[in-house]
Amino acid sequence: MTEETPGFEEKPDVPSGATADDAAEAVESEGDSTAPAGDATDVALLAQLDQARTALAERTADLQRLQAEYQNYRRRVERDRVTVKEIAVASLLAELLPVLDDVGRARDHGELVGGFKSVAESLETVVAKMGLQQFGKEGEPFDPTIHEALMHSYAPDVTETTCVAILQPGYRIGERTIRPARVAVAEPQPGAQGKAEESADADTAEQDSE
């Protein structure tokens, strides 16, 4: 019977007569024989990890794209809803403009009294709450984008085309013009501006000579 010596480690088989270098190479070769299995496992795990990261990046990009599309859809729907509402309100108020014109004429002639006055003021309050704004004042410069000239004349006391009378006020909702202000305009008299410039030049020359 062979007894094992305690503490004795099994050594790799080394041919008799081998040198110390040969023994070291035998030990390294034995250790290398087990290395490929561990390396292959690591490579497989890294490949799976890379695949998982790639899939996660793709799913994240898909989610971000869907979120962006949804936000754009919501903004588009909200914008369309506001536009439709503005058009509907503008159409309704446009139908009421003749009534508001009658109210204005009655007020100018002192006929806005009694129950009619109360109803008229209530109507004006309601349309104001809906965003209707009146514009057009005497003396303001003529602007063809918001004014409609129904009468034309010349005046010596104006230096540019000016609204001298408001025949019908204009109305707008926000930046949307429902009806331009219908006005009478006056322009400077032909040659008046040249005479004014000559007079100003003469005054300047007289002051310089003094």
Side-chain angles (χ1 to χ4, degrees):
M1 179 180 293
T2 303
E3 295 182 359
E4 296 181 357
T5 304
F8 179 81
E9 296 181 359
E10 184 177 355
K11 302 294 183 179
D13 294 334
V14 180
S16 58
T19 64
D21 293 337
D22 294 335
E25 290 179 359
V27 173
E28 291 178 358
S29 62
E30 183 178 356
D32 293 341
S33 63
T34 59
D39 292 344
T41 303
D42 292 342
V43 170
L45 291 175
L46 290 175
Q48 292 178 358
L49 180 60
D50 289 340
Q51 291 177 355
R53 288 175 175 172
T54 302
L56 177 60
E58 292 175 352
R59 300 299 180 271
T60 302
D62 291 341
L63 179 59
Q64 292 174 343
R65 183 169 57 255
L66 288 175
Q67 288 179 335
E69 292 177 354
Y70 177 66
Q71 292 298 329
N72 292 335
Y73 169 76
R74 287 188 58 185
R75 285 193 290 267
R76 186 167 58 253
V77 169
E78 181 64 20
R79 184 173 59 251
D80 293 344
R81 185 186 67 81
V82 172
T83 301
V84 169
K85 180 180 178 181
E86 290 179 350
I87 293 175
V89 171
S91 298
L92 172 62
L93 293 177
E95 297 296 327
L96 294 176
L97 294 187
V99 179
L100 295 175
D101 291 337
D102 291 340
V103 170
R105 283 190 289 267
R107 180 178 287 111
D108 293 339
H109 291 84
E111 300 174 355
L112 200 62
V113 295
F116 179 47
K117 177 180 180 181
S118 177
V119 172
E121 290 177 348
S122 297
L123 175 62
E124 290 174 336
T125 300
V126 170
V127 296
K129 287 182 179 179
M130 297 177 69
L132 185 67
Q133 297 176 342
Q134 186 182 103
F135 66 90
K137 294 181 180 180
E138 293 183 6
E140 64 185 7
F142 176 74
D143 183 351
T145 62
I146 60 174
H147 296 137
E148 180 182 351
L150 301 183
M151 299 177 65
H152 174 270
S153 63
Y154 294 98
D157 57 343
V158 298
T159 58
E160 61 180 338
T161 305
T162 305
C163 300
V164 295
I166 305 300
L167 306 179
Q168 279 186 330
Y171 290 95
R172 65 164 64 97
I173 299 178
E175 300 298 325
R176 182 191 299 271
T177 299
I178 297 180
R179 187 183 73 186
R182 291 164 179 167
V183 301
V185 300
E187 290 183 307
Q189 290 182 344
Q193 186 173 1
K195 292 180 180 179
E197 292 178 353
E198 291 177 0
S199 177
D201 292 339
D203 293 341
T204 301
E206 183 178 354
Q207 291 175 359
D208 292 340
S209 64
E210 294 177 355

PDB file of all heavy atoms in Angstrom, residues 78-110:
ATOM      1  N   GLU A  78     -53.894  71.477 -31.120  1.00  0.00           N
ATOM      2  CA  GLU A  78     -54.228  72.661 -30.339  1.00  0.00           C
ATOM      3  C   GLU A  78     -54.253  73.905 -31.220  1.00  0.00           C
ATOM      4  O   GLU A  78     -55.143  74.763 -31.087  1.00  0.00           O
ATOM      5  CB  GLU A  78     -53.203  72.842 -29.208  1.00  0.00           C
ATOM      6  CG  GLU A  78     -53.455  74.040 -28.311  1.00  0.00           C
ATOM      7  CD  GLU A  78     -54.740  73.957 -27.549  1.00  0.00           C
ATOM      8  OE1 GLU A  78     -55.282  72.842 -27.403  1.00  0.00           O
ATOM      9  OE2 GLU A  78     -55.234  75.000 -27.078  1.00  0.00           O
ATOM     10  N   ARG A  79     -53.284  74.018 -32.122  1.00  0.00           N
ATOM     11  CA  ARG A  79     -53.249  75.169 -33.032  1.00  0.00           C
ATOM     12  C   ARG A  79     -54.472  75.179 -33.935  1.00  0.00           C
ATOM     13  O   ARG A  79     -55.092  76.239 -34.146  1.00  0.00           O
ATOM     14  CB  ARG A  79     -51.961  75.131 -33.852  1.00  0.00           C
ATOM     15  CG  ARG A  79     -51.777  76.334 -34.755  1.00  0.00           C
ATOM     16  CD  ARG A  79     -50.406  76.327 -35.400  1.00  0.00           C
ATOM     17  NE  ARG A  79     -50.154  75.145 -36.200  1.00  0.00           N
ATOM     18  CZ  ARG A  79     -49.314  74.179 -35.869  1.00  0.00           C
ATOM     19  NH1 ARG A  79     -48.613  74.253 -34.745  1.00  0.00           N
ATOM     20  NH2 ARG A  79     -49.143  73.114 -36.653  1.00  0.00           N
ATOM     21  N   ASP A  80     -54.846  74.017 -34.456  1.00  0.00           N
ATOM     22  CA  ASP A  80     -56.022  73.938 -35.316  1.00  0.00           C
ATOM     23  C   ASP A  80     -57.294  74.266 -34.535  1.00  0.00           C
ATOM     24  O   ASP A  80     -58.205  74.919 -35.062  1.00  0.00           O
ATOM     25  CB  ASP A  80     -56.133  72.545 -35.939  1.00  0.00           C
ATOM     26  CG  ASP A  80     -55.013  72.257 -36.918  1.00  0.00           C
ATOM     27  OD1 ASP A  80     -54.338  73.219 -37.347  1.00  0.00           O
ATOM     28  OD2 ASP A  80     -54.792  71.071 -37.242  1.00  0.00           O
ATOM     29  N   ARG A  81     -57.335  73.819 -33.288  1.00  0.00           N
ATOM     30  CA  ARG A  81     -58.520  74.089 -32.470  1.00  0.00           C
ATOM     31  C   ARG A  81     -58.676  75.581 -32.231  1.00  0.00           C
ATOM     32  O   ARG A  81     -59.781  76.128 -32.340  1.00  0.00           O
ATOM     33  CB  ARG A  81     -58.400  73.347 -31.137  1.00  0.00           C
ATOM     34  CG  ARG A  81     -59.632  73.467 -30.258  1.00  0.00           C
ATOM     35  CD  ARG A  81     -59.382  72.829 -28.910  1.00  0.00           C
ATOM     36  NE  ARG A  81     -58.392  73.576 -28.150  1.00  0.00           N
ATOM     37  CZ  ARG A  81     -58.677  74.677 -27.451  1.00  0.00           C
ATOM     38  NH1 ARG A  81     -59.907  75.158 -27.433  1.00  0.00           N
ATOM     39  NH2 ARG A  81     -57.738  75.303 -26.786  1.00  0.00           N
ATOM     40  N   VAL A  82     -57.567  76.255 -31.917  1.00  0.00           N
ATOM     41  CA  VAL A  82     -57.614  77.709 -31.690  1.00  0.00           C
ATOM     42  C   VAL A  82     -58.014  78.435 -32.967  1.00  0.00           C
ATOM     43  O   VAL A  82     -58.823  79.375 -32.941  1.00  0.00           O
ATOM     44  CB  VAL A  82     -56.247  78.202 -31.178  1.00  0.00           C
ATOM     45  CG1 VAL A  82     -56.215  79.722 -31.123  1.00  0.00           C
ATOM     46  CG2 VAL A  82     -55.959  77.629 -29.797  1.00  0.00           C
ATOM     47  N   THR A  83     -57.467  77.996 -34.106  1.00  0.00           N
ATOM     48  CA  THR A  83     -57.796  78.642 -35.377  1.00  0.00           C
ATOM     49  C   THR A  83     -59.271  78.501 -35.717  1.00  0.00           C
ATOM     50  O   THR A  83     -59.929  79.464 -36.133  1.00  0.00           O
ATOM     51  CB  THR A  83     -56.936  78.046 -36.506  1.00  0.00           C
ATOM     52  OG1 THR A  83     -55.552  78.234 -36.201  1.00  0.00           O
ATOM     53  CG2 THR A  83     -57.247  78.707 -37.839  1.00  0.00           C
ATOM     54  N   VAL A  84     -59.798  77.303 -35.534  1.00  0.00           N
ATOM     55  CA  VAL A  84     -61.220  77.067 -35.822  1.00  0.00           C
ATOM     56  C   VAL A  84     -62.093  77.918 -34.907  1.00  0.00           C
ATOM     57  O   VAL A  84     -63.097  78.509 -35.345  1.00  0.00           O
ATOM     58  CB  VAL A  84     -61.555  75.571 -35.668  1.00  0.00           C
ATOM     59  CG1 VAL A  84     -63.058  75.347 -35.706  1.00  0.00           C
ATOM     60  CG2 VAL A  84     -60.874  74.756 -36.758  1.00  0.00           C
ATOM     61  N   LYS A  85     -61.698  78.020 -33.644  1.00  0.00           N
ATOM     62  CA  LYS A  85     -62.467  78.838 -32.700  1.00  0.00           C
ATOM     63  C   LYS A  85     -62.445  80.300 -33.108  1.00  0.00           C
ATOM     64  O   LYS A  85     -63.481  80.987 -33.080  1.00  0.00           O
ATOM     65  CB  LYS A  85     -61.893  78.682 -31.293  1.00  0.00           C
ATOM     66  CG  LYS A  85     -62.622  79.496 -30.239  1.00  0.00           C
ATOM     67  CD  LYS A  85     -62.012  79.311 -28.877  1.00  0.00           C
ATOM     68  CE  LYS A  85     -62.717  80.178 -27.843  1.00  0.00           C
ATOM     69  NZ  LYS A  85     -62.111  80.022 -26.489  1.00  0.00           N
ATOM     70  N   GLU A  86     -61.271  80.809 -33.498  1.00  0.00           N
ATOM     71  CA  GLU A  86     -61.169  82.209 -33.905  1.00  0.00           C
ATOM     72  C   GLU A  86     -62.024  82.486 -35.144  1.00  0.00           C
ATOM     73  O   GLU A  86     -62.682  83.528 -35.231  1.00  0.00           O
ATOM     74  CB  GLU A  86     -59.705  82.569 -34.179  1.00  0.00           C
ATOM     75  CG  GLU A  86     -58.839  82.635 -32.929  1.00  0.00           C
ATOM     76  CD  GLU A  86     -57.402  82.964 -33.264  1.00  0.00           C
ATOM     77  OE1 GLU A  86     -57.064  82.954 -34.478  1.00  0.00           O
ATOM     78  OE2 GLU A  86     -56.617  83.223 -32.335  1.00  0.00           O
ATOM     79  N   ILE A  87     -62.016  81.559 -36.095  1.00  0.00           N
ATOM     80  CA  ILE A  87     -62.810  81.746 -37.313  1.00  0.00           C
ATOM     81  C   ILE A  87     -64.303  81.757 -36.979  1.00  0.00           C
ATOM     82  O   ILE A  87     -65.070  82.585 -37.504  1.00  0.00           O
ATOM     83  CB  ILE A  87     -62.481  80.646 -38.334  1.00  0.00           C
ATOM     84  CG1 ILE A  87     -61.036  80.796 -38.829  1.00  0.00           C
ATOM     85  CG2 ILE A  87     -63.450  80.684 -39.506  1.00  0.00           C
ATOM     86  CD1 ILE A  87     -60.584  79.672 -39.746  1.00  0.00           C
ATOM     87  N   ALA A  88     -64.712  80.843 -36.096  1.00  0.00           N
ATOM     88  CA  ALA A  88     -66.121  80.782 -35.726  1.00  0.00           C
ATOM     89  C   ALA A  88     -66.558  82.055 -35.005  1.00  0.00           C
ATOM     90  O   ALA A  88     -67.627  82.617 -35.293  1.00  0.00           O
ATOM     91  CB  ALA A  88     -66.375  79.560 -34.841  1.00  0.00           C
ATOM     92  N   VAL A  89     -65.730  82.538 -34.070  1.00  0.00           N
ATOM     93  CA  VAL A  89     -66.059  83.763 -33.347  1.00  0.00           C
ATOM     94  C   VAL A  89     -66.087  84.953 -34.292  1.00  0.00           C
ATOM     95  O   VAL A  89     -66.986  85.807 -34.213  1.00  0.00           O
ATOM     96  CB  VAL A  89     -65.053  83.984 -32.201  1.00  0.00           C
ATOM     97  CG1 VAL A  89     -65.252  85.367 -31.574  1.00  0.00           C
ATOM     98  CG2 VAL A  89     -65.201  82.907 -31.141  1.00  0.00           C
ATOM     99  N   ALA A  90     -65.122  85.034 -35.198  1.00  0.00           N
ATOM    100  CA  ALA A  90     -65.072  86.150 -36.145  1.00  0.00           C
ATOM    101  C   ALA A  90     -66.306  86.147 -37.050  1.00  0.00           C
ATOM    102  O   ALA A  90     -66.867  87.215 -37.348  1.00  0.00           O
ATOM    103  CB  ALA A  90     -63.799  86.057 -36.982  1.00  0.00           C
ATOM    104  N   SER A  91     -66.741  84.963 -37.473  1.00  0.00           N
ATOM    105  CA  SER A  91     -67.933  84.887 -38.332  1.00  0.00           C
ATOM    106  C   SER A  91     -69.167  85.356 -37.581  1.00  0.00           C
ATOM    107  O   SER A  91     -70.016  86.081 -38.133  1.00  0.00           O
ATOM    108  CB  SER A  91     -68.120  83.450 -38.828  1.00  0.00           C
ATOM    109  OG  SER A  91     -67.011  83.030 -39.608  1.00  0.00           O
ATOM    110  N   LEU A  92     -69.283  84.955 -36.325  1.00  0.00           N
ATOM    111  CA  LEU A  92     -70.430  85.380 -35.520  1.00  0.00           C
ATOM    112  C   LEU A  92     -70.430  86.888 -35.304  1.00  0.00           C
ATOM    113  O   LEU A  92     -71.458  87.554 -35.490  1.00  0.00           O
ATOM    114  CB  LEU A  92     -70.405  84.657 -34.171  1.00  0.00           C
ATOM    115  CG  LEU A  92     -71.441  85.127 -33.130  1.00  0.00           C
ATOM    116  CD1 LEU A  92     -72.857  84.898 -33.646  1.00  0.00           C
ATOM    117  CD2 LEU A  92     -71.227  84.410 -31.799  1.00  0.00           C
ATOM    118  N   LEU A  93     -69.269  87.434 -34.941  1.00  0.00           N
ATOM    119  CA  LEU A  93     -69.206  88.869 -34.671  1.00  0.00           C
ATOM    120  C   LEU A  93     -69.407  89.684 -35.941  1.00  0.00           C
ATOM    121  O   LEU A  93     -69.960  90.796 -35.891  1.00  0.00           O
ATOM    122  CB  LEU A  93     -67.870  89.209 -34.022  1.00  0.00           C
ATOM    123  CG  LEU A  93     -67.665  88.627 -32.613  1.00  0.00           C
ATOM    124  CD1 LEU A  93     -66.275  88.970 -32.095  1.00  0.00           C
ATOM    125  CD2 LEU A  93     -68.727  89.147 -31.649  1.00  0.00           C
ATOM    126  N   ALA A  94     -68.978  89.158 -37.078  1.00  0.00           N
ATOM    127  CA  ALA A  94     -69.180  89.875 -38.338  1.00  0.00           C
ATOM    128  C   ALA A  94     -70.667  90.054 -38.622  1.00  0.00           C
ATOM    129  O   ALA A  94     -71.083  91.078 -39.191  1.00  0.00           O
ATOM    130  CB  ALA A  94     -68.507  89.122 -39.484  1.00  0.00           C
ATOM    131  N   GLU A  95     -71.479  89.084 -38.218  1.00  0.00           N
ATOM    132  CA  GLU A  95     -72.921  89.201 -38.406  1.00  0.00           C
ATOM    133  C   GLU A  95     -73.528  90.255 -37.487  1.00  0.00           C
ATOM    134  O   GLU A  95     -74.612  90.796 -37.785  1.00  0.00           O
ATOM    135  CB  GLU A  95     -73.587  87.839 -38.158  1.00  0.00           C
ATOM    136  CG  GLU A  95     -73.178  86.747 -39.128  1.00  0.00           C
ATOM    137  CD  GLU A  95     -73.613  87.053 -40.548  1.00  0.00           C
ATOM    138  OE1 GLU A  95     -74.677  87.689 -40.722  1.00  0.00           O
ATOM    139  OE2 GLU A  95     -72.901  86.656 -41.494  1.00  0.00           O
ATOM    140  N   LEU A  96     -72.860  90.556 -36.388  1.00  0.00           N
ATOM    141  CA  LEU A  96     -73.382  91.528 -35.422  1.00  0.00           C
ATOM    142  C   LEU A  96     -72.927  92.961 -35.704  1.00  0.00           C
ATOM    143  O   LEU A  96     -73.407  93.896 -35.052  1.00  0.00           O
ATOM    144  CB  LEU A  96     -72.956  91.141 -34.000  1.00  0.00           C
ATOM    145  CG  LEU A  96     -73.538  89.838 -33.443  1.00  0.00           C
ATOM    146  CD1 LEU A  96     -72.941  89.542 -32.077  1.00  0.00           C
ATOM    147  CD2 LEU A  96     -75.059  89.919 -33.349  1.00  0.00           C
ATOM    148  N   LEU A  97     -72.000  93.144 -36.636  1.00  0.00           N
ATOM    149  CA  LEU A  97     -71.477  94.490 -36.893  1.00  0.00           C
ATOM    150  C   LEU A  97     -72.564  95.481 -37.329  1.00  0.00           C
ATOM    151  O   LEU A  97     -72.551  96.636 -36.873  1.00  0.00           O
ATOM    152  CB  LEU A  97     -70.357  94.430 -37.938  1.00  0.00           C
ATOM    153  CG  LEU A  97     -69.087  93.684 -37.502  1.00  0.00           C
ATOM    154  CD1 LEU A  97     -67.998  93.843 -38.563  1.00  0.00           C
ATOM    155  CD2 LEU A  97     -68.578  94.173 -36.160  1.00  0.00           C
ATOM    156  N   PRO A  98     -73.514  95.111 -38.194  1.00  0.00           N
ATOM    157  CA  PRO A  98     -74.572  96.070 -38.528  1.00  0.00           C
ATOM    158  C   PRO A  98     -75.366  96.519 -37.302  1.00  0.00           C
ATOM    159  O   PRO A  98     -75.771  97.689 -37.210  1.00  0.00           O
ATOM    160  CB  PRO A  98     -75.449  95.299 -39.519  1.00  0.00           C
ATOM    161  CG  PRO A  98     -74.532  94.293 -40.136  1.00  0.00           C
ATOM    162  CD  PRO A  98     -73.616  93.885 -39.022  1.00  0.00           C
ATOM    163  N   VAL A  99     -75.588  95.599 -36.370  1.00  0.00           N
ATOM    164  CA  VAL A  99     -76.304  95.964 -35.142  1.00  0.00           C
ATOM    165  C   VAL A  99     -75.472  96.955 -34.329  1.00  0.00           C
ATOM    166  O   VAL A  99     -75.995  97.942 -33.798  1.00  0.00           O
ATOM    167  CB  VAL A  99     -76.620  94.705 -34.306  1.00  0.00           C
ATOM    168  CG1 VAL A  99     -77.344  95.077 -33.012  1.00  0.00           C
ATOM    169  CG2 VAL A  99     -77.447  93.718 -35.115  1.00  0.00           C
ATOM    170  N   LEU A 100     -74.170  96.706 -34.230  1.00  0.00           N
ATOM    171  CA  LEU A 100     -73.296  97.630 -33.501  1.00  0.00           C
ATOM    172  C   LEU A 100     -73.241  98.988 -34.190  1.00  0.00           C
ATOM    173  O   LEU A 100     -73.154 100.035 -33.523  1.00  0.00           O
ATOM    174  CB  LEU A 100     -71.889  97.034 -33.395  1.00  0.00           C
ATOM    175  CG  LEU A 100     -71.776  95.743 -32.566  1.00  0.00           C
ATOM    176  CD1 LEU A 100     -70.360  95.185 -32.637  1.00  0.00           C
ATOM    177  CD2 LEU A 100     -72.176  95.988 -31.120  1.00  0.00           C
ATOM    178  N   ASP A 101     -73.303  99.008 -35.535  1.00  0.00           N
ATOM    179  CA  ASP A 101     -73.349 100.285 -36.252  1.00  0.00           C
ATOM    180  C   ASP A 101     -74.620 101.056 -35.900  1.00  0.00           C
ATOM    181  O   ASP A 101     -74.586 102.287 -35.695  1.00  0.00           O
ATOM    182  CB  ASP A 101     -73.280 100.044 -37.764  1.00  0.00           C
ATOM    183  CG  ASP A 101     -71.922  99.531 -38.209  1.00  0.00           C
ATOM    184  OD1 ASP A 101     -70.927  99.765 -37.487  1.00  0.00           O
ATOM    185  OD2 ASP A 101     -71.842  98.895 -39.279  1.00  0.00           O
ATOM    186  N   ASP A 102     -75.752 100.357 -35.816  1.00  0.00           N
ATOM    187  CA  ASP A 102     -77.011 101.010 -35.446  1.00  0.00           C
ATOM    188  C   ASP A 102     -76.934 101.567 -34.027  1.00  0.00           C
ATOM    189  O   ASP A 102     -77.430 102.675 -33.759  1.00  0.00           O
ATOM    190  CB  ASP A 102     -78.168 100.016 -35.550  1.00  0.00           C
ATOM    191  CG  ASP A 102     -78.478  99.623 -36.990  1.00  0.00           C
ATOM    192  OD1 ASP A 102     -78.086 100.381 -37.907  1.00  0.00           O
ATOM    193  OD2 ASP A 102     -79.094  98.553 -37.203  1.00  0.00           O
ATOM    194  N   VAL A 103     -76.304 100.809 -33.136  1.00  0.00           N
ATOM    195  CA  VAL A 103     -76.132 101.281 -31.763  1.00  0.00           C
ATOM    196  C   VAL A 103     -75.279 102.548 -31.748  1.00  0.00           C
ATOM    197  O   VAL A 103     -75.588 103.525 -31.042  1.00  0.00           O
ATOM    198  CB  VAL A 103     -75.494 100.179 -30.896  1.00  0.00           C
ATOM    199  CG1 VAL A 103     -75.092 100.731 -29.528  1.00  0.00           C
ATOM    200  CG2 VAL A 103     -76.469  99.018 -30.713  1.00  0.00           C
ATOM    201  N   GLY A 104     -74.201 102.563 -32.525  1.00  0.00           N
ATOM    202  CA  GLY A 104     -73.344 103.741 -32.577  1.00  0.00           C
ATOM    203  C   GLY A 104     -74.061 104.958 -33.121  1.00  0.00           C
ATOM    204  O   GLY A 104     -73.911 106.076 -32.591  1.00  0.00           O
ATOM    205  N   ARG A 105     -74.863 104.772 -34.184  1.00  0.00           N
ATOM    206  CA  ARG A 105     -75.595 105.904 -34.748  1.00  0.00           C
ATOM    207  C   ARG A 105     -76.646 106.418 -33.766  1.00  0.00           C
ATOM    208  O   ARG A 105     -76.854 107.643 -33.636  1.00  0.00           O
ATOM    209  CB  ARG A 105     -76.242 105.493 -36.073  1.00  0.00           C
ATOM    210  CG  ARG A 105     -75.252 105.424 -37.227  1.00  0.00           C
ATOM    211  CD  ARG A 105     -75.987 105.256 -38.544  1.00  0.00           C
ATOM    212  NE  ARG A 105     -76.569 103.917 -38.652  1.00  0.00           N
ATOM    213  CZ  ARG A 105     -75.952 102.879 -39.227  1.00  0.00           C
ATOM    214  NH1 ARG A 105     -74.723 103.028 -39.718  1.00  0.00           N
ATOM    215  NH2 ARG A 105     -76.546 101.709 -39.306  1.00  0.00           N
ATOM    216  N   ALA A 106     -77.301 105.487 -33.075  1.00  0.00           N
ATOM    217  CA  ALA A 106     -78.295 105.913 -32.083  1.00  0.00           C
ATOM    218  C   ALA A 106     -77.633 106.698 -30.959  1.00  0.00           C
ATOM    219  O   ALA A 106     -78.190 107.697 -30.466  1.00  0.00           O
ATOM    220  CB  ALA A 106     -79.019 104.691 -31.524  1.00  0.00           C
ATOM    221  N   ARG A 107     -76.446 106.295 -30.561  1.00  0.00           N
ATOM    222  CA  ARG A 107     -75.734 107.025 -29.502  1.00  0.00           C
ATOM    223  C   ARG A 107     -75.349 108.427 -29.992  1.00  0.00           C
ATOM    224  O   ARG A 107     -75.466 109.406 -29.239  1.00  0.00           O
ATOM    225  CB  ARG A 107     -74.497 106.239 -29.072  1.00  0.00           C
ATOM    226  CG  ARG A 107     -73.697 106.922 -27.968  1.00  0.00           C
ATOM    227  CD  ARG A 107     -72.497 106.100 -27.536  1.00  0.00           C
ATOM    228  NE  ARG A 107     -72.892 104.934 -26.751  1.00  0.00           N
ATOM    229  CZ  ARG A 107     -72.797 103.677 -27.158  1.00  0.00           C
ATOM    230  NH1 ARG A 107     -72.315 103.412 -28.379  1.00  0.00           N
ATOM    231  NH2 ARG A 107     -73.174 102.678 -26.393  1.00  0.00           N
ATOM    232  N   ASP A 108     -74.893 108.527 -31.244  1.00  0.00           N
ATOM    233  CA  ASP A 108     -74.497 109.834 -31.776  1.00  0.00           C
ATOM    234  C   ASP A 108     -75.677 110.800 -31.859  1.00  0.00           C
ATOM    235  O   ASP A 108     -75.502 112.017 -31.719  1.00  0.00           O
ATOM    236  CB  ASP A 108     -73.874 109.665 -33.166  1.00  0.00           C
ATOM    237  CG  ASP A 108     -72.544 108.917 -33.123  1.00  0.00           C
ATOM    238  OD1 ASP A 108     -71.921 108.891 -32.035  1.00  0.00           O
ATOM    239  OD2 ASP A 108     -72.140 108.346 -34.164  1.00  0.00           O
ATOM    240  N   HIS A 109     -76.876 110.266 -32.083  1.00  0.00           N
ATOM    241  CA  HIS A 109     -78.059 111.116 -32.217  1.00  0.00           C
ATOM    242  C   HIS A 109     -78.830 111.258 -30.902  1.00  0.00           C
ATOM    243  O   HIS A 109     -79.933 111.825 -30.897  1.00  0.00           O
ATOM    244  CB  HIS A 109     -78.988 110.570 -33.308  1.00  0.00           C
ATOM    245  CG  HIS A 109     -78.442 110.703 -34.699  1.00  0.00           C
ATOM    246  ND1 HIS A 109     -77.582 109.785 -35.239  1.00  0.00           N
ATOM    247  CD2 HIS A 109     -78.631 111.661 -35.649  1.00  0.00           C
ATOM    248  CE1 HIS A 109     -77.258 110.147 -36.482  1.00  0.00           C
ATOM    249  NE2 HIS A 109     -77.886 111.290 -36.755  1.00  0.00           N
ATOM    250  N   GLY A 110     -78.277 110.743 -29.822  1.00  0.00           N
ATOM    251  CA  GLY A 110     -78.943 110.868 -28.532  1.00  0.00           C
ATOM    252  C   GLY A 110     -80.172 110.008 -28.383  1.00  0.00           C
ATOM    253  O   GLY A 110     -81.046 110.296 -27.539  1.00  0.00           O
TER     254      GLY A 110
END
